[in-house]
Amino acid sequence: MSPSRSAPGAGRIALTASGALRAALGALLLATSLAVPAQTRAAPSGVPPEQEEQLLRSDRFRHLATELRCLVCQNQTLADSNADLAIDLRNEVLRQMASGKDDAQIKSHLVDRYGEFVLYRPVLSARNLALWAGPAVLLALGAGVIFRMSRRPRAAAAVPSGEDVDARLARVDRLLDADEPGPR
């Protein structure tokens, strides 16, 4: 290839890269021109900032956030988790509280939407009875098996009958007499 010629398609790559750069700069300029000042920005929960701050500090919100599970973390409450979904659920709880719903209505709404798993301490019901009773049943079965095995009579060691003992002793004596030439 001669130095004056470029590879086929090289111009298209350069043109595409410059077009992408222009598009990125344009998007950045558009985003900065449309930015909303911090004072007029709405809270992520959709609740006015003053009311959101008051609700976040309330004992009621803290209590609800400890009774609801983060669906991503699975072993953390909404209060403990920093996952994006936990933040969204906390905002949903704030919206529900701001709309005047009580704790039972908020929990019911979240259970309807996400299932009983959203409750950190699920309630005892016919649907989840096996989960509540399962460990106790397994423990009782295990204890029963261990008890039965410990009470079972062990098989006695095979003891030869009287005739077998005499025959074996006579054989041992013969072997010892044949092997011993004299005192050592």
Side-chain angles (χ1 to χ4, degrees):
M1 192 185 288
S2 68
S4 63
R5 287 189 171 170
S6 61
R12 267 187 281 149
I13 294 172
L15 183 61
T16 306
S18 68
L21 182 61
R22 285 182 190 154
L25 286 174
L28 181 64
L29 286 173
L30 180 64
T32 55
S33 67
L34 295 177
V36 179
Q39 294 116 359
T40 61
R41 224 178 283 162
S45 62
V47 178
E50 302 82 29
Q51 187 180 8
E52 180 182 35
E53 186 67 31
Q54 182 182 15
L55 290 173
L56 282 171
R57 292 183 182 193
S58 71
D59 289 335
R60 179 180 173 212
F61 176 76
R62 284 192 210 115
H63 180 71
L64 268 173
T66 57
E67 288 186 350
L68 298 170
R69 178 189 313 268
C70 173
L71 299 174
V72 176
C73 305
Q74 295 184 3
N75 237 359
Q76 289 183 329
T77 63
L78 287 183
D80 298 334
S81 177
N82 289 326
D84 290 338
L85 184 58
I87 293 169
D88 291 343
L89 287 173
R90 283 194 297 261
N91 289 335
E92 178 65 25
V93 169
L94 286 173
R95 277 191 294 275
Q96 298 283 327
M97 287 174 67
S99 70
K101 293 188 177 179
D102 64 0
D103 294 356
Q105 290 172 323
I106 294 171
K107 286 182 189 178
S108 175
H109 170 74
L110 291 175
V111 167
D112 290 344
R113 190 167 183 185
Y114 299 105
E116 242 180 62
F117 187 73
V118 76
L119 299 175
Y120 199 70
R121 292 177 196 89
V123 294
L124 178 62
S125 67
R127 287 181 23 189
N128 62 14
L129 184 61
L131 293 175
W132 285 95
V137 169
L138 289 176
L139 184 64
L141 285 174
V145 167
I146 290 172
F147 179 74
R148 287 200 56 170
M149 289 179 70
S150 68
R151 301 286 295 168
R152 185 181 298 170
R154 292 194 175 103
V159 177
S161 65
E163 294 175 10
D164 281 345
V165 172
D166 292 336
R168 286 184 183 193
L169 286 175
R171 182 171 176 242
V172 169
D173 284 340
R174 280 193 313 266
L175 288 174
L176 286 174
D177 288 340
D179 198 30
E180 274 187 51
R184 289 186 192 196

